[in-house]
Amino acid sequence: MILIIVVIVLIVLLVLFVMSSYNKLVRLSNRVDEGFSTMDVYLKKRFDLIPT
């Protein structure tokens, strides 16, 4: 009986770890995308300042 409880607890901890890791990777990916979009906006603003 104790073995079953230990196995269930380990499975729950593993699932929580996987969910946490996935959420962290998604958060980091979003930060990278935001960084690139910010640079794109700055470059477009600078390009608009160049007289033609």
Side-chain angles (χ1 to χ4, degrees), residues 29-51:
S29 175
N30 288 339
R31 288 178 67 186
V32 168
D33 291 341
E34 180 184 345
F36 277 111
S37 66
T38 301
M39 280 308 248
D40 190 39
V41 169
Y42 288 146
L43 292 174
K44 284 181 183 178
K45 283 183 182 179
R46 288 191 62 153
F47 180 76
D48 288 342
L49 293 175
I50 298 173

Side-chain angles (χ1 to χ4, degrees), residues 6-33:
V6 170
V7 169
I8 291 173
V9 168
L10 288 176
I11 290 173
V12 168
L13 289 175
L14 180 65
V15 168
L16 289 174
F17 174 74
V18 169
M19 286 174 41
S20 173
S21 298
Y22 178 75
N23 286 337
K24 184 176 181 180
L25 289 174
V26 169
R27 184 171 47 247
L28 291 174
S29 175
N30 288 339
R31 288 178 67 186
V32 168
D33 291 341

